[in-house]
mmCIF file of all heavy atoms in Angstrom:
data_model
loop_
_atom_site.group_PDB
_atom_site.id
_atom_site.type_symbol
_atom_site.label_atom_id
_atom_site.label_comp_id
_atom_site.label_asym_id
_atom_site.label_seq_id
_atom_site.Cartn_x
_atom_site.Cartn_y
_atom_site.Cartn_z
ATOM 1 N N ARG A 36 18.170 144.844 -183.210
ATOM 2 C CA ARG A 36 16.737 145.072 -183.356
ATOM 3 C C ARG A 36 16.079 144.714 -182.023
ATOM 4 O O ARG A 36 16.416 143.700 -181.407
ATOM 5 C CB ARG A 36 16.150 144.227 -184.488
ATOM 6 C CG ARG A 36 16.717 144.584 -185.854
ATOM 7 C CD ARG A 36 15.879 143.989 -186.972
ATOM 8 N NE ARG A 36 14.575 144.643 -187.051
ATOM 9 C CZ ARG A 36 14.349 145.816 -187.659
ATOM 10 N NH1 ARG A 36 15.351 146.439 -188.249
ATOM 11 N NH2 ARG A 36 13.141 146.337 -187.682
ATOM 12 N N THR A 87 25.459 165.791 -179.171
ATOM 13 C CA THR A 87 24.428 166.396 -180.006
ATOM 14 C C THR A 87 23.074 166.362 -179.310
ATOM 15 O O THR A 87 22.340 167.363 -179.279
ATOM 16 C CB THR A 87 24.350 165.672 -181.367
ATOM 17 O OG1 THR A 87 25.632 165.698 -181.995
ATOM 18 C CG2 THR A 87 23.321 166.325 -182.274
ATOM 19 N N THR A 221 18.821 157.504 -203.104
ATOM 20 C CA THR A 221 17.806 156.492 -202.816
ATOM 21 C C THR A 221 18.190 155.774 -201.529
ATOM 22 O O THR A 221 19.365 155.802 -201.116
ATOM 23 C CB THR A 221 17.721 155.474 -203.956
ATOM 24 O OG1 THR A 221 18.945 154.728 -204.018
ATOM 25 C CG2 THR A 221 17.472 156.162 -205.292
ATOM 26 N N LEU A 413 -2.458 178.876 -208.061
ATOM 27 C CA LEU A 413 -2.060 179.617 -206.866
ATOM 28 C C LEU A 413 -1.539 178.592 -205.881
ATOM 29 O O LEU A 413 -2.278 177.685 -205.477
ATOM 30 C CB LEU A 413 -3.251 180.368 -206.269
ATOM 31 C CG LEU A 413 -3.815 181.521 -207.109
ATOM 32 C CD1 LEU A 413 -5.076 182.083 -206.446
ATOM 33 C CD2 LEU A 413 -2.776 182.617 -207.285
#
Side-chain angles (χ1 to χ4, degrees):
R36 297 194 69 81
T87 304
T221 66
L413 293 175

